[in-house]
Amino acid sequence: IDRGAIGEHLADYLLDAGYLGKLRMLKLAQNHSVENFVRSLIDTRYGSYLKIALECFQSTRLLSEFENQMRMYMLNWTARLPRLHPLGIGVPLGYVSLKRSEIKNLRWIAKGIISGFEPVYIRDNLERIS
C-alpha cells in the first residue's frame, strides 16, 4: 500500500471483521520488514502457511510467495466446508474451489509437458490439499 497516496486514512481501507481486527492490521502496517510482519502473524491460523511463504520469499524475494500460500490456505479451508456444512453453502463452495484447483493443476501439467519439465518437477509443484 502506498502510504503517501493513502495518507493518514489507512483505517478507511480496512474491515473490522475476520480473524485479524482493524487495530491489529494498523499495527502490522507499521512494520518495515516483511520478515517482522510475518513473524508477528505466526500465532494466527495463517501462521503455518506464512512460515512456508517466508522461507520461499527469503530465497526468491518474490512477494507472490505469500499470495500463493494464502491461496493454499483458502483452498484447504474451502475443501473442508462440505464436511463441515453438508446441507449448506459449504458443498457448492467446496466443489467450486476444488474444481478450480483441479483445472489449475491440469493447466500446470500441460504447460509442464510442453515446456519439457521433468515429471518429478511437475508432480512436486501441483496444488495439494493438506
Side-chain angles (χ1 to χ4, degrees):
I1 297 176
D2 180 14
R3 291 185 190 158
I6 295 173
E8 299 296 319
H9 305 287
L10 179 60
D12 295 341
Y13 294 90
L14 301 174
L15 297 175
D16 199 19
Y19 301 106
L20 298 175
K22 192 185 270 191
L23 292 176
R24 185 162 187 191
M25 292 299 289
L26 288 170
K27 184 178 177 186
L28 288 169
Q30 295 173 1
N31 282 311
H32 296 287
S33 156
V34 173
E35 288 83 0
N36 289 340
F37 180 85
V38 170
R39 285 188 185 103
S40 55
L41 290 173
I42 292 295
D43 65 330
T44 67
R45 61 181 43 213
Y46 314 112
S48 60
Y49 295 92
L50 289 172
K51 187 176 179 183
I52 294 168
L54 182 60
E55 291 169 4
C56 294
F57 172 77
Q58 289 172 336
S59 63
T60 66
R61 303 310 288 177
L62 297 173
L63 289 174
S64 60
E65 302 292 352
F66 295 100
E67 181 181 356
N68 293 337
Q69 285 303 311
M70 289 298 94
R71 190 179 62 254
M72 290 307 300
Y73 167 80
M74 284 299 297
L75 174 61
N76 285 306
W77 181 75
T78 55
R80 289 190 304 265
L81 287 177
R83 282 178 270 137
L84 295 173
H85 306 286
L87 300 176
I89 192 71
V91 175
L93 289 177
Y95 176 82
V96 168
S97 180
L98 291 170
K99 187 53 74 175
R100 290 176 85 190
S101 178
E102 178 184 31
I103 291 169
K104 186 177 185 295
N105 281 338
L106 289 172
R107 284 184 179 156
W108 166 248
I109 292 168
K111 287 179 183 180
I113 291 170
I114 290 170
S115 299
F117 295 155
E118 293 293 323
V120 173
Y121 180 75
I122 295 171
R123 190 177 322 114
D124 288 346
N125 287 285
L126 292 173
E127 278 188 354
R128 290 189 173 81
I129 298 164
S130 56

